[in-house]
Amino acid sequence: MKAAVYNRWLHQKGGGERHSAMAAKVLSERFETELVTHRPVSREELSDALNIDLSNVTVRVIPALPPNRFSAFTREFDLFINSSFMTNQPSEADHSMMLVLFPSPIDRSRGAMIRQTIGRFLMRELLLPEWLDGFYDVQELGSGWFRYATGQANIRVRVPSSTRRASIEIVGGNFREDVELPVRCLVDGEVIAERSFPPNPGSFETWQIDIDPSRMHGNTVELVLESPTFNPIDRFEGADNREVGLAVTDVRVRHLRHYLYEIMFRKAFRELGLRLEGLPTFYSLDHLDTYDVICPISKYSRHWMEVYWGISGPILYPPVDISWAQARAKTHTILTVGRFFRGTHEKKHGLMIDQFKRMCREGLDGWKFCLAGHQSGRAIDVAYTEELRRRAEGYPIEFAVDVPFDKLRQMYGDARIYWHAAGYGERADRNPVRFEHFGISVVEAMASSTVPVVLDQGGLPELVTDSHDGFVWSKAENLRERTWQLIRDPELCSSMAARARISSRKFSAEAFRMRLLELVAGLFDN
């Protein structure tokens, strides 16, 4: 039997990607298993970066596909697992499972429902097209937006009831640099117009097509656009791996109602126009119905899955490789591990630096604070780390950026206390995605007999039982107080460290393996 584990972000080789790779390794015990992604990455790269033996797994790179084409692709598998972060692709495999790191936010409040109703009314009355099949998601370009079509793409166009003969304009462009793009327009399987678009990246031309009334079904007509496709990744390293044809920015009926749309939502209120374009897909949860079981990675993620999607599912905690963890002779070190970057999920390094500096001013002596993690290469992220270094000057604070895994393992083993502050200062009711959904580095620290002192939000309280195998805190002063308590009471610190090591086993790779196989067996038994 064949199984596939899908993750479009596999090339990033982060915690979510380790989740996917470990799932593939487990499935390879019973299935012919593929890891499916869109950007080239070798099995050897993944094995080395994620420290997972993938010798029985095949890595398969496919072009990114619109939902309907992707769904058709999954038919070849007996089991399909979507473990890609916030990637809403459907499945038509015999058995399907979704692993949810954190759910895509869908506002299901009464206000949101009213806004949706108004939006759909505007789309209908202003004669906006329906992008039925074969189009990728909307993309911004300059002050406007467009969609790439695949080799065959379907559009339904509304026409006013008073119109006898519809004049429809397709505003599209050929974003290749050197080859013309021939396009055919079909209605009911018959070619009604053809046009060749010259190469002109970023520019659009208007193609007018007259539709005979006999081609219309009530007040609508369904057009099919056919063209050759190309893949940008063939020419530009790092580009999206997609098979794309015509770039379409609008399909419009020449009527006062559509002119009104162009004035209001293409020019005057552009942001609202962009929301209208994404309305049908943004609020859709149809893809969830194609999965037999949906597994969040924590109680925290499950809670927000229930809020956003109105569904629940069995928890499958991520696999944490703790086989390497060892309790070394402890030093007076506080450790934190997390990527150095700016974004929605940043690790609040600045807060921790400030709290350690304050502890030093309160009399802490002979201790150091070490910040370890991968450095993101964006200029804004490099500048962020440089600012942290300046902030730490004059204090026993060390940075271990992009250190080899063996060195990181040693640091875990040496540290006596582990800090984690992701999400501090954020509001869970407004930005729940900014909190830690699980906390792999916390489990790694616990397995190394390092006592965790972590924020009491997100998925972290599921890992740490307060005052048993670590401490949780809600305010910055609590972080300092709990840390002082451990520093001043070595016996308490040692006993908590021993309990933390035991607790970490609940999240081991073997625990993940047993739980995943149990869930898969349940699918095939039904």
Side-chain angles (χ1 to χ4, degrees):
M1 292 193 295
K2 292 183 64 177
V5 179
Y6 168 63
N7 188 324
R8 71 175 304 154
W9 314 108
L10 207 56
H11 60 282
Q12 294 187 352
K13 310 183 193 79
E17 291 65 59
R18 191 177 194 286
H19 195 193
S20 302
M22 184 60 77
K25 177 185 177 182
V26 171
L27 293 180
S28 70
E29 298 176 17
R30 303 188 180 184
F31 297 86
E32 180 185 338
T33 303
E34 296 181 351
L35 265 172
V36 178
T37 191
H38 302 311
R39 292 197 181 187
V41 60
S42 72
R43 181 173 62 186
E44 290 69 29
E45 283 181 76
L46 290 172
S47 293
D48 291 344
L50 303 175
N51 195 31
I52 297 175
D53 179 9
L54 296 174
S55 56
N56 293 325
V57 175
T58 301
V59 176
R60 182 172 175 182
V61 179
I62 65 170
L65 300 168
N68 61 300
R69 307 289 166 83
F70 188 91
S71 181
F73 160 75
T74 65
R75 293 174 193 158
E76 67 179 85
F77 300 103
D78 300 285
L79 172 64
F80 176 78
I81 296 182
N82 179 355
S83 64
S84 189
F85 181 59
M86 290 192 181
T87 304
N88 303 333
Q89 291 284 30
S91 171
E92 292 185 41
D94 290 342
H95 303 87
S96 302
M97 176 185 294
M98 179 183 285
L99 307 184
V100 179
L101 302 182
F102 194 81
S104 304
I106 302 294
D107 188 350
R108 300 169 63 244
S109 66
R110 176 177 293 183
M113 297 301 107
I114 293 173
R115 290 193 295 273
Q116 286 182 56
T117 301
I118 294 172
R120 296 183 193 282
F121 171 80
L122 289 172
M123 292 176 67
R124 182 177 65 253
E125 294 303 313
L126 298 180
L127 307 179
L128 270 68
E130 294 180 65
W131 311 91
L132 300 178
D133 181 19
F135 285 96
Y136 293 98
D137 290 341
V138 64
Q139 295 179 232
E140 295 186 66
L141 178 66
S143 60
W145 53 81
F146 74 97
R147 286 176 169 84
Y148 269 125
T150 55
Q152 185 178 78
N154 298 40
I155 318 157
R156 182 179 294 125
V157 183
R158 299 178 179 89
V159 296
S161 57
S162 60
T163 301
R164 294 185 178 180
R165 186 176 183 86
S167 179
I168 295 175
E169 293 180 349
I170 297 173
V171 186
N174 173 13
F175 286 7
R176 299 191 69 169
E177 294 185 335
D178 53 1
V179 179
E180 289 199 347
L181 182 69
V183 183
R184 304 195 307 169
C185 179
L186 296 83
V187 175
D188 296 330
E190 183 178 338
V191 177
I192 63 167
E194 296 182 77
R195 181 188 179 98
S196 185
F197 287 79
N200 197 359
S203 297
F204 300 98
E205 297 182 3
T206 300
W207 180 16
Q208 182 172 319
I209 301 174
D210 292 328
I211 307 294
D212 189 89
S214 63
R215 302 284 188 183
M216 290 185 275
H217 302 276
N219 294 331
T220 65
V221 60
E222 188 168 320
L223 309 179
V224 178
L225 300 180
E226 291 184 347
S227 73
T229 60
F230 77 103
N231 195 323
I233 205 170
D234 293 337
R235 299 196 58 177
F236 305 105
E237 184 177 353
D240 283 342
N241 181 10
R242 297 186 294 177
E243 296 293 336
V244 300
L246 187 68
V248 182
T249 185
D250 199 7
V251 178
R252 60 200 184 199
V253 177
R254 293 293 72 191
H255 189 274
L256 177 62
R257 285 153 63 181
H258 197 88
Y259 282 125
L260 183 60
Y261 157 74
E262 292 177 35
I263 294 170
M264 291 180 60
F265 296 109
R266 287 271 178 170
K267 297 177 181 178
F269 305 104
R270 176 184 174 277
E271 289 301 320
L272 291 177
L274 196 55
R275 290 187 189 182
L276 276 181
E277 290 287 337
L279 183 68
T281 54
F282 181 78
Y283 286 101
S284 176
L285 295 175
D286 292 346
H287 66 285
L288 299 179
D289 294 334
T290 67
Y291 289 89
D292 301 299
V293 63
I294 299 177
C295 301
I297 64 165
S298 63
K299 294 177 183 176
Y300 180 71
S301 290
R302 182 168 65 182
H303 167 73
W304 286 103
M305 199 168 82
E306 292 167 350
V307 171
Y308 287 147
W309 296 352
I311 62 173
S312 190
I315 293 172
L316 177 63
Y317 284 116
V320 184
D321 181 12
I322 56 175
S323 61
W324 51 265
Q326 54 183 319
R328 297 162 54 90
K330 294 296 183 180
T331 63
H332 288 176
T333 302
I334 300 172
L335 174 68
T336 189
V337 178
R339 285 189 300 148
F340 294 99
F341 76 108
R342 281 204 178 279
T344 59
H345 199 50
E346 61 186 63
K347 303 304 181 181
K348 306 295 181 179
H349 296 104
L351 166 83
M352 293 185 284
I353 288 173
D354 289 346
Q355 296 311 306
F356 183 79
K357 288 165 62 176
R358 182 160 178 175
M359 290 183 69
C360 289
R361 293 194 295 270
E362 292 171 347
L364 182 64
D365 186 38
W367 283 72
K368 66 179 180 180
F369 179 38
C370 188
L371 301 91
H374 168 66
Q375 174 64 66
S376 171
R378 298 184 309 169
I380 189 174
D381 299 328
V382 173
Y384 165 71
T385 307
E386 290 306 311
E387 172 57 29
L388 292 176
R389 291 182 186 275
R390 287 190 292 271
R391 201 165 177 171
E393 286 178 357
Y395 290 85
I397 299 175
E398 299 178 359
F399 288 80
V401 178
D402 290 330
V403 295
F405 181 74
D406 285 345
K407 175 63 176 176
L408 182 61
R409 177 172 59 182
Q410 177 183 330
M411 294 171 68
Y412 272 124
D414 290 344
R416 198 175 295 272
I417 297 170
Y418 184 85
W419 279 1
H420 202 86
Y424 179 79
E426 306 289 349
R427 287 187 54 174
D429 58 336
R430 291 186 178 179
N431 294 301
V433 72
R434 296 188 178 184
F435 293 83
E436 199 67 68
H437 313 145
F438 177 71
I440 288 176
S441 65
V442 176
V443 177
E444 291 173 335
M446 295 170 71
S448 303
S449 297
T450 302
V451 180
V453 184
V454 303
L455 186 69
D456 65 348
Q457 297 286 325
L460 298 176
E462 299 175 48
L463 313 180
V464 179
T465 302
D466 190 37
S467 301
H468 173 72
D469 49 19
F471 286 122
V472 299
W473 54 274
S474 58
K475 299 178 181 178
E477 54 264 35
N478 301 142
L479 169 62
R480 298 195 310 275
E481 290 167 0
R482 294 305 198 186
T483 303
W484 273 120
Q485 191 174 348
L486 292 169
I487 290 172
R488 289 167 175 161
D489 190 342
E491 289 188 9
L492 173 66
C493 191
S494 295
S495 62
M496 276 194 172
R499 290 193 289 268
R501 186 173 177 84
I502 294 171
S503 296
S504 70
R505 296 169 188 162
K506 294 184 293 185
F507 310 104
S508 67
E510 180 58 22
F512 172 85
R513 173 183 173 275
M514 296 298 292
R515 178 62 169 153
L516 177 58
L517 291 176
E518 176 188 2
L519 291 167
V520 170
L523 289 180
F524 282 82
D525 288 344
N526 292 333

